[in-house]
């Protein structure tokens, strides 16, 4: 049998060697249009960064080795340009000498791979713009950096290759900016998990511009990258990493059936629509393991396995049926690791597959053994417990956890199976309850009804007037930040203080990572409360929320502040420094160690604390601000953070003039004054300020629904309702009302000038996060019921307003 293989690397080279191992008699010819038939495609960025220094180490297999060891006829610089299926012949162009010839076949295996996307943007062919796919691409980028002495780079795209390139260019000494059209890096992760990587990239000096597209390039002294929103970045080098497209032109011209994204359609045995032609690798569509639908998964692992199967199946053995790809992938980001397997939330929602989720943040090994660090894990599972997907981010132990989860998913495992897994344990490697077991415990608790949960993306929508939001952490932890509107009842005080929580209100509890919240929920549930616990705790909430508040425009370009930069003057040589080791401690360990340490030293002395909690670096800044203990510096070495604090010679933030929030009492029910309040509120919100509008007395009419709402009222309440304007559309002017003509004229002019109406301003304010609070006391006096108010209004008392006012630098009375 004569078998021709088009393309090498993972799929083609694997097919060729597997075929030879199965048949000494087969005549095998492998065509590769380039110089290299098998190279470390995934290792290319690390050559540019200098981790891989020897060029030869990028070459996995040489043509000579295949000739000598496997007796394969390898023809490099030879491109197959046409397939004649009727004659079972291919046309080959030899790029070395320009000759063209034909070669017959009995069976044909296509492994043409994929091509980097290079959209037809203005200036895209300018010097200094590269893609990275092959060994020659790598050499060109390396030589360009050395020859031009490039100092800055823009990486377009934040997928696996884009993030790896950003890291390695940074290690090479370049100033690096990632530009990504989506609102996150690594699309296989869900946004709250990707947010952990975002923080780590920023800590390592990578600038991130999310939600930003590239519109073109211009070459002058350096490259000018033109972005959406009429913004620009200048750089010495641009790397395009916006994905790949299947290289299926040869198959298309031959009349083979194509599939999703122009890929080559194959069956379960990797056979194309022509029974004598097989296809493997990045050029083909594959079946998604869970849904069975065609998809694209350009990964080296599946390509290698497909090549092996095709090498067997061309001989008619039909073993090792291709039963789908689950998309397991892993990524190194400096010294952090991110990995995923199966489907993510975006995919499950798109396919309308029912699912539930759980988050945990355990230590990678026993905390009493030195060097432990926290890992963040997310599990997606069906209502019957079947595993649908998992994501893991952390410093150590990520790879083995995702591999266990990928294996469980492959064999149809459930969360109940994860509970029962017997995994290896010794203090340097794991805990008696491995994080995979804990993931199973938390998921099974949800399914069995042992605890009800809520999630980080539901927190801000909670109506604080209708629920009790309880922070079960210690006061020291709360000083480093909490959720707005939460009351602090530490877990160990809950049994004595639960009478503070009215039973008629649902109770939403949270702690740092979810464990103490779960314990609190169990206590309250057994005492007759309706309780939900925040899955993943405050850590998941603040990580996701903090990432949304990061700068996403070019205003962050040029920021030179490093993580190691001191925040306040350093301790003098004669100042006593007490060192505290909080490495390996989980919540509330690190912050409690800081609190205890500060209490043990005198004013002016310094405390140096080492911790491995990734959130510690940001938490400690807030804690220091609120307690009046200056933060002198934050440093990071590997997964360990080291902070230096001086005790007590700064005013706590709580006693200062307040934050930069804006607070307004809206007392008036006049249209013009309501407009003024909403314009100011929207303007402040657009600048990223926290805004609270407290509507009281006549101002409550602004929040009333315009239509009649049938609610039960007494006689006085009905009289008030009849005398007051029902909703914003009935409001009059403070001056020149003219029996209602004035408001109509104002609204008409506003519409002609394309100025937003009061109703549009109010909706915009709510959408932009402005806190709209209705005064409970005023509602009671004036007989206004909750049902009569528009959606998005919080009902509270004066203490709520005063709390926001204390954190504001502007307080207005309208």
């Amino acid at each position: 049998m004569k078998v021709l293989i088009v393309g090498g690397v993972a799929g083609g080279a694997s097919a060729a060697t597997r075929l030879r191992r199965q048949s000494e008699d087969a005549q095998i010819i492998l065509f590769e249009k380039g110089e290299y038939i098998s190279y470390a495609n995934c290792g290319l960025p690390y050559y540019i960064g200098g981790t891989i220094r020897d060029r030869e180490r990028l070459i996995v297999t040489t043509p000579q080795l295949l000739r000598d060891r496997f007796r394969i006829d390898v023809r490099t610089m030879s491109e197959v340009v046409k397939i004649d299926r009727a004659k079972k012949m291919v046309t080959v162009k030899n790029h070395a000498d320009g000759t063209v010839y034909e070669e017959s076949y009995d069976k044909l295996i296509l492994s043409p791979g994929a091509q980097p996307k290079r959209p037809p943007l203005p200036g895209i062919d300018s010097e200094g713009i590269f893609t990275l796919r092959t060994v020659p691409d790598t050499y060109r980028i390396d030589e360009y950096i050395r020859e031009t002495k490039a100092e800055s780079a823009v990486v377009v795209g934040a997928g696996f290759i884009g993030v790896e390139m950003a890291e390695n260019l940074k290690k090479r000494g370049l100033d690096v900016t990632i530009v990504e059209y989506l609102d996150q890096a690594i699309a296989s992760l869900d946004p709250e998990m990707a947010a952990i990587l975002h923080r780590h990239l920023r800590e390592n000096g990578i600038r991130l511009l999310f939600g930003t597209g590239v519109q073109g390039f211009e070459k002058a002294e350096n490259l000018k990258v033109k972005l959406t929103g009429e913004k620009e970045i200048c750089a010495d080098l641009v790397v395009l990493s916006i994905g790949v497209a299947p290289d299926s032109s040869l198959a298309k011209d031959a009349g083979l059936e194509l599939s999703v994204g122009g890929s080559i359609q194959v069956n379960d045995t990797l056979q194309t629509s022509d029974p004598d032609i097989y296809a493997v690798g990045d050029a083909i569509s594959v079946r998604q393991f869970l849904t069975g639908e065609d998809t694209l998964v350009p990964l080296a692992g599946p390509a290698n396995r497909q090549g092996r199967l095709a090498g067997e199946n061309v001989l008619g053995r039909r073993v090792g049926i291709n039963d789908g790809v689950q998309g397991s992938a892993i990524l190194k980001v400096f010294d952090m690791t991110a990995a995923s397997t199966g489907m993510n939330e975006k995919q499950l929602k798109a396919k309308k597959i029912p699912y539930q989720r759980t988050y945990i943040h355990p230590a990678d090994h026993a905390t009493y053994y030195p060097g432990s660090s926290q890992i963040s894990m997310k599990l997606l599972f069906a209502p019957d417990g079947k595993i649908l997907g998992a994501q893991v981010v952390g410093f150590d132990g990520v790879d083995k956890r995702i591999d266990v989860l990928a294996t469980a998913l492959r064999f149809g495992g459930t969360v109940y199976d994860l509970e029962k897994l017997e995994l290896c344990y010794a203090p340097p490697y794991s805990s008696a309850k491995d994080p995979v077991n804990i993931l199973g415990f938390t998921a099974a608790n949800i399914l069995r009804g042992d605890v009800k949960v809520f999630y980080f993306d539901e927190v801000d929508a909670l109506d604080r007037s209708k629920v009790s939001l309880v922070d079960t952490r210690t006061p020291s932890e709360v000083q480093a930040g909490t959720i707005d509107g939460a009351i602090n009842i530490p877990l160990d005080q809950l049994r004595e203080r639960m009478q503070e929580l009215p039973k008629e209100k649902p109770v939403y509890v949270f702690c740092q990572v979810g464990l103490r919240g779960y314990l609190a929920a169990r206590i309250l549930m057994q005492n007759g409360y309706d309780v939900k616990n925040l899955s993943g705790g405050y850590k998941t909430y603040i990580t996701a929320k903090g990432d949304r508040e990061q700068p996403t425009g070019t205003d962050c370009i040029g920021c030179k502040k490093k993580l190691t930069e001191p925040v306040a003057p350093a301790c003098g040589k004669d100042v006593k420094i007490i060192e505290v080791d909080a490495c390996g401690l989980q919540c509330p360990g690190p912050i409690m160690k800081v609190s205890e340490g500060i209490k043990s030293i005198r004013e002016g002395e310094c405390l140096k604390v080492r911790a491995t909690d990734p959130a510690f670096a940001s938490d400690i800044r807030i804690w220091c601000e609120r307690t009046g203990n200056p933060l002198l510096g934050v440093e990071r070495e590997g997964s360990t953070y080291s902070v230096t604090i001086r005790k007590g010679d700064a005013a706590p933030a709580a006693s200062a003039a307040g934050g930069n929030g804006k607070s307004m009492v809206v007392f008036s029910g006049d249209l013009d004054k309501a407009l003024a309040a909403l314009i100011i509120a929207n303007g402040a919100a657009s600048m990223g300020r926290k805004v609270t509008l407290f509507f009281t007395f006549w101002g409550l009419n602004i929040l009333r629904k315009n239509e009649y709402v049938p609610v039960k009222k007494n006689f006085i309440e009905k009289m008030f309702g009849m005398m007051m304007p029902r909703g914003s559309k009935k409001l009059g002017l403070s001056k020149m009302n003219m029996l209602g003509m004035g408001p109509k004229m104002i609204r008409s002019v506003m519409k002609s000038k394309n100025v937003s109406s009061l109703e549009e301003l109010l909706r915009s304010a709510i959408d932009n996060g402005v806190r709209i609070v209705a005064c409970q006391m005023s509602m009671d006096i004036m007989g206004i019921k909750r049902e009569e108010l528009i959606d998005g209004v919080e009902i509270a008392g004066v203490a709520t307003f005063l709390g926001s006012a204390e954190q504001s630098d502007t307080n207005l009375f309208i």
Side-chain angles (χ1 to χ4, degrees), residues 668-674 731-738 742-743:
S668 171
D670 294 328
L671 174 61
D672 46 337
K673 294 177 182 178
L731 300 182
L733 292 179
S734 61
K735 305 288 184 183
M736 298 172 58
N737 190 54
M738 297 184 294

Side-chain angles (χ1 to χ4, degrees), residues 14 40 48 126 225 253 313 441 586 712:
S14 295
I48 293 171
S126 302
V225 185
D253 292 342
N313 291 339
F441 296 153
Q586 304 303 300
K712 187 176 180 180

Side-chain angles (χ1 to χ4, degrees), residues 30-73:
L30 190 153
F31 299 97
E32 172 56 54
K33 64 182 177 181
E35 182 181 352
Y36 305 96
I37 57 144
S38 185
Y39 54 88
N41 186 290
C42 297
L44 300 180
Y46 299 101
Y47 177 80
I48 293 171
T51 302
I52 299 173
R53 298 184 179 183
D54 186 354
R55 285 189 174 196
E56 298 305 315
R57 296 184 71 85
L58 293 175
I59 310 304
V60 177
T61 302
T62 64
Q64 196 59 46
L65 185 145
L66 290 184
R67 295 184 187 113
D68 295 344
R69 184 172 297 174
F70 294 96
R71 295 296 187 268
I72 295 172
D73 183 355

Side-chain angles (χ1 to χ4, degrees), residues 373-385:
S373 61
Q374 208 170 49
I375 54 178
S376 296
M377 306 176 72
K378 176 179 183 178
L379 184 69
L380 298 162
F381 50 98
D384 63 358

Side-chain angles (χ1 to χ4, degrees), residues 284-589:
I284 71 169
S285 62
V286 295
R287 284 196 306 137
Q288 211 292 326
F289 178 71
L290 290 168
T291 66
E293 297 180 350
D294 285 348
T295 187
L296 297 175
V297 182
L299 294 172
N304 272 286
R305 291 190 292 276
Q306 292 157 11
R308 178 184 171 89
L309 293 177
E312 295 185 353
N313 291 339
V314 293
L315 297 174
R317 296 187 66 183
R318 295 296 184 271
V319 296
I321 300 300
N322 176 30
D323 58 354
V325 175
Q326 61 198 70
S328 300
I330 193 165
L331 170 74
K332 173 184 174 294
V333 184
F334 293 96
D335 46 2
M336 184 171 271
T337 303
S340 62
T341 189
M343 302 180 76
N344 59 29
E345 272 200 80
K346 298 184 288 287
Q347 294 166 331
L348 290 170
K349 287 177 180 177
K351 299 300 179 185
K352 298 182 179 179
I353 298 174
Y355 71 92
Q356 295 194 54
R357 52 180 160 151
T358 187
Y359 301 88
I360 62 173
H361 303 280
D364 68 293
H365 66 251
T367 55
Y368 59 81
Y369 187 88
S372 73
S373 61
Q374 208 170 49
I375 54 178
S376 296
M377 306 176 72
K378 176 179 183 178
L379 184 69
L380 298 162
F381 50 98
D384 63 358
K386 184 179 179 181
I387 300 167
L388 301 174
Q391 299 162 41
V392 187
V393 181
F395 290 101
D396 294 308
V398 170
D399 52 345
K400 69 176 181 177
R401 271 63 189 229
I402 202 69
D403 283 343
V404 171
L405 293 164
T407 304
L409 190 155
R410 170 62 60 169
F411 292 111
T414 68
V415 300
Y416 309 113
D417 295 320
L418 298 185
E419 288 185 291
K420 301 171 186 175
L421 284 179
E422 185 177 335
L423 302 172
C424 295
Y425 161 59
Y429 304 106
S430 184
S431 299
K433 295 177 182 177
D434 189 88
V436 172
N437 297 133
I438 297 172
L439 208 54
F441 296 153
T442 60
N445 283 340
I446 295 170
L447 293 179
R448 293 187 181 115
D450 290 343
V451 66
K452 293 188 288 186
V453 293
F454 67 113
Y455 299 100
F456 74 94
D457 48 3
E458 299 171 346
V459 170
D460 291 344
L462 291 176
D463 187 339
R464 305 299 197 267
S465 67
K466 292 185 176 181
V467 304
S468 297
L469 183 62
V470 182
D471 187 338
T472 65
R473 299 174 301 159
T474 64
S476 295
E477 292 174 275
V478 174
Q479 283 182 310
T482 188
I483 299 174
D484 289 344
I487 60 174
N488 180 214
I489 304 180
L491 174 63
D492 296 338
Q493 301 175 16
L494 183 59
R495 289 181 178 88
E496 291 71 36
R497 294 179 56 187
M498 70 173 67
Q499 69 276 4
E500 298 176 24
L501 305 173
K503 283 194 174 181
E504 62 272 15
K505 284 186 177 183
V507 181
Y508 288 71
V509 297
F510 67 94
C511 64
Q512 187 68 11
V513 297
L515 175 58
R516 284 172 290 170
Y518 166 66
L519 299 175
R522 292 301 302 160
I523 293 170
L524 291 170
M525 287 171 67
Q526 294 176 78
N527 281 276
Y529 287 86
D530 179 14
V531 193
K532 287 187 178 181
N533 179 37
L534 178 59
S535 182
Y538 182 73
K539 180 180 177 69
T540 298
Y541 169 79
I542 199 62
T543 299
K545 184 179 178 66
D547 189 62
R548 293 196 301 268
E549 292 174 353
Q550 289 287 345
T552 55
T554 51
D555 54 344
C556 69
I557 294 180
C559 174
K560 298 296 183 182
K561 185 175 182 180
K562 299 179 181 178
L563 186 65
T564 56
E565 207 169 16
V567 184
C571 286
K573 292 181 180 180
D574 298 329
V575 174
K576 183 179 180 181
I577 300 178
I578 304 298
E579 295 195 5
V580 174
D581 186 0
C583 291
L585 293 181
Q586 304 303 300
C587 65

Side-chain angles (χ1 to χ4, degrees), residues 127-142:
E127 182 185 12
I129 301 177
F130 300 91
T131 56
L132 180 66
R133 184 69 178 174
T134 65
V135 172
D137 293 339
T138 309
Y139 294 161
R140 282 193 288 270
I141 295 173
D142 177 59

Side-chain angles (χ1 to χ4, degrees), residues 21-223:
R21 290 195 296 273
Q22 299 302 309
S23 172
E24 276 290 306
D25 299 327
Q27 181 184 357
I28 308 170
I29 305 175
L30 190 153
F31 299 97
E32 172 56 54
K33 64 182 177 181
E35 182 181 352
Y36 305 96
I37 57 144
S38 185
Y39 54 88
N41 186 290
C42 297
L44 300 180
Y46 299 101
Y47 177 80
I48 293 171
T51 302
I52 299 173
R53 298 184 179 183
D54 186 354
R55 285 189 174 196
E56 298 305 315
R57 296 184 71 85
L58 293 175
I59 310 304
V60 177
T61 302
T62 64
Q64 196 59 46
L65 185 145
L66 290 184
R67 295 184 187 113
D68 295 344
R69 184 172 297 174
F70 294 96
R71 295 296 187 268
I72 295 172
D73 183 355
V74 180
R75 304 179 188 179
T76 58
M77 304 301 292
S78 299
E79 181 179 6
V80 175
V81 295
K82 183 180 179 182
I83 302 171
D84 189 330
R85 291 166 53 197
K87 295 180 179 179
K88 300 186 75 171
M89 197 86 66
V90 300
T91 302
V92 184
K93 182 175 182 179
N94 186 327
H95 290 293
D97 58 18
T99 60
V100 177
Y101 63 94
E102 292 184 329
E103 193 75 50
S104 64
Y105 66 87
D106 295 315
K107 300 290 183 181
L108 179 64
I109 300 176
L110 301 179
S111 181
Q115 292 292 333
K117 292 180 180 178
R118 198 177 176 96
L121 297 172
I124 197 167
D125 294 322
S126 302
E127 182 185 12
I129 301 177
F130 300 91
T131 56
L132 180 66
R133 184 69 178 174
T134 65
V135 172
D137 293 339
T138 309
Y139 294 161
R140 282 193 288 270
I141 295 173
D142 177 59
E143 290 166 4
Y144 185 84
I145 293 173
R146 284 191 285 107
E147 291 173 1
T148 64
K149 295 180 172 56
E151 295 181 350
S152 60
V154 169
V155 177
V156 182
F160 282 81
I161 297 297
V163 170
E164 289 172 348
M165 276 301 299
E167 173 190 344
N168 282 281
L169 289 169
K170 186 68 180 179
K171 286 186 174 180
R172 186 74 175 257
L174 279 70
D175 192 49
V176 183
T177 301
I178 294 178
V179 177
E180 169 58 56
Y181 186 74
L182 300 177
D183 59 0
Q184 69 169 87
I186 313 301
S188 61
L189 299 176
D190 286 314
E192 70 277 14
M193 299 299 285
I196 305 170
L197 293 185
H198 300 166
R199 181 178 62 200
H200 195 61
L201 284 164
R202 292 182 178 109
E203 286 180 356
N204 282 277
I206 305 294
R207 301 187 192 96
L208 305 177
L209 301 183
F210 293 129
T212 304
V214 174
Q215 296 186 320
F217 306 90
E218 184 179 310
K219 180 70 174 178
E221 293 183 9
N222 51 14
L223 280 165

